[in-house]
């Protein structure tokens, strides 16, 4: 069988519309009071439906995200969290940056004792990515 030449030039100018990071609804995040200050509980919030897009191609990036935290005085209000996470849907953002940004914005609003955001990004091109961001930073 001879060598087959394929013209891939038709893909060069394809790009899907993406939103910039200003579309992320940070201001929608709310908290509710934690009624047992001084008594630690660990809260784990998993979701398998997180979506953002590659800032280069506009192709979707899917992730399972697990938010784990120990509240001080505030819990994260779940409806606001759902809207916040969904607002990433068409945002062009690198996987590592999305994971870090989620941590920083949740820490800013909830002021937990500790928090960890772990994102397991679905494979693309045979490679998956696991990104972990923690507060406070480990030395």
């Amino acid at each position: 069988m001879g060598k087959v030449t394929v013209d891939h030039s038709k893909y060069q100018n394809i790009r899907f519309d993406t939103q910039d990071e200003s579309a992320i609804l940070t201001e929608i995040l709310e908290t509710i009071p934690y009624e047992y200050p001084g008594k630690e509980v660990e809260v784990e919030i998993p979701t398998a439906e997180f979506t953002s897009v590659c800032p280069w191609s506009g192709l979707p990036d899917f992730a399972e995200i697990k938010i784990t935290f120990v509240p001080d005085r505030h819990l994260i209000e779940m409806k606001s969290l759902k809207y916040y996470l969904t607002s990433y849907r068409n945002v062009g953002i690198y996987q590592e940056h999305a994971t870090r940004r989620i941590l920083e914005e949740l820490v800013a609003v909830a002021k937990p004792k500790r928090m960890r955001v772990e994102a397991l990004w679905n494979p693309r091109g045979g490679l998956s990515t696991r990104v972990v961001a923690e507060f406070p930073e480990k030395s």
Side-chain angles (χ1 to χ4, degrees), residues 30-106:
E30 295 181 8
T31 61
I32 57 174
Y34 176 56
E35 296 178 3
Y36 300 93
K39 297 184 178 184
E40 286 196 4
V41 295
E42 184 176 90
V43 178
E44 187 175 294
I45 306 168
T47 180
E49 299 179 355
F50 184 83
T51 306
S52 60
V53 296
C54 173
W56 284 10
S57 67
L59 293 172
D61 281 328
F62 299 97
E64 292 181 27
I65 293 187
K66 182 168 59 172
I67 300 161
T68 307
F69 71 101
V70 175
D72 185 14
R73 300 196 173 275
H74 305 282
L75 298 168
I76 299 166
E77 196 280 322
M78 298 300 261
K79 183 177 183 180
S80 74
L81 180 61
K82 290 174 193 177
Y83 280 112
Y84 167 74
L85 292 174
T86 301
S87 72
Y88 278 81
R89 185 169 192 82
N90 294 315
V91 173
I93 187 169
Y94 292 110
Q95 297 169 350
E96 299 83 358
H97 297 173
T99 306
R100 185 72 203 179
R101 180 173 176 151
I102 292 167
L103 173 76
E104 290 184 1
E105 291 179 340
L106 292 178

Side-chain angles (χ1 to χ4, degrees), residues 94-126:
Y94 292 110
Q95 297 169 350
E96 299 83 358
H97 297 173
T99 306
R100 185 72 203 179
R101 180 173 176 151
I102 292 167
L103 173 76
E104 290 184 1
E105 291 179 340
L106 292 178
V107 165
V109 73
K111 299 174 181 56
K113 292 180 179 180
R114 294 183 298 282
M115 183 175 280
R116 174 184 173 100
V117 175
E118 182 175 352
L120 181 58
W121 296 87
N122 287 6
R124 279 224 263 128

